[in-house]
Amino acid sequence: LNVPGCDTSAPLPSTPKVRLSWSLFAMVPVTVQRALSDSGPWADIATIPAGTTVYNDSLAAPGTYFYRVGSGAYVTAPISITP
């Protein structure tokens, strides 16, 4: 389809992305959790193997999200991110 004035080579808008990194739990597997408020409810969105200290999250919609990372009974304080 050829539409005058329409650039079909332009990239589509991408979804927001968040890159999380940490050092506290570098030697153990961790769970990354996400919520819409700092009090939860928290959803486990990834389990990261020991030795990995980065997680990239592709969000479904723009907005403010809260993240925390933990292992066992130890969980970081929530951080808010608005991509």
Side-chain angles (χ1 to χ4, degrees):
L1 178 64
N2 185 4
V3 179
C6 181
D7 182 4
T8 57
S9 66
L12 295 174
S14 63
T15 59
K17 293 183 175 78
V18 170
R19 180 179 175 88
L20 303 171
S21 64
W22 56 91
S23 59
L24 181 62
F25 300 108
M27 302 309 293
V28 295
V30 299
T31 299
V32 178
Q33 297 179 318
R34 182 177 64 213
L36 296 176
S37 79
D38 63 350
S39 60
W42 294 95
D44 294 351
I45 59 170
T47 300
I48 309 299
T52 302
T53 58
V54 174
Y55 175 71
N56 294 304
D57 186 18
S58 296
L59 305 174
T64 299
Y65 293 87
F66 293 82
Y67 292 89
R68 63 185 190 180
V69 176
S71 180
Y74 300 99
V75 179
T76 62
I79 59 166
S80 66
I81 299 175
T82 304

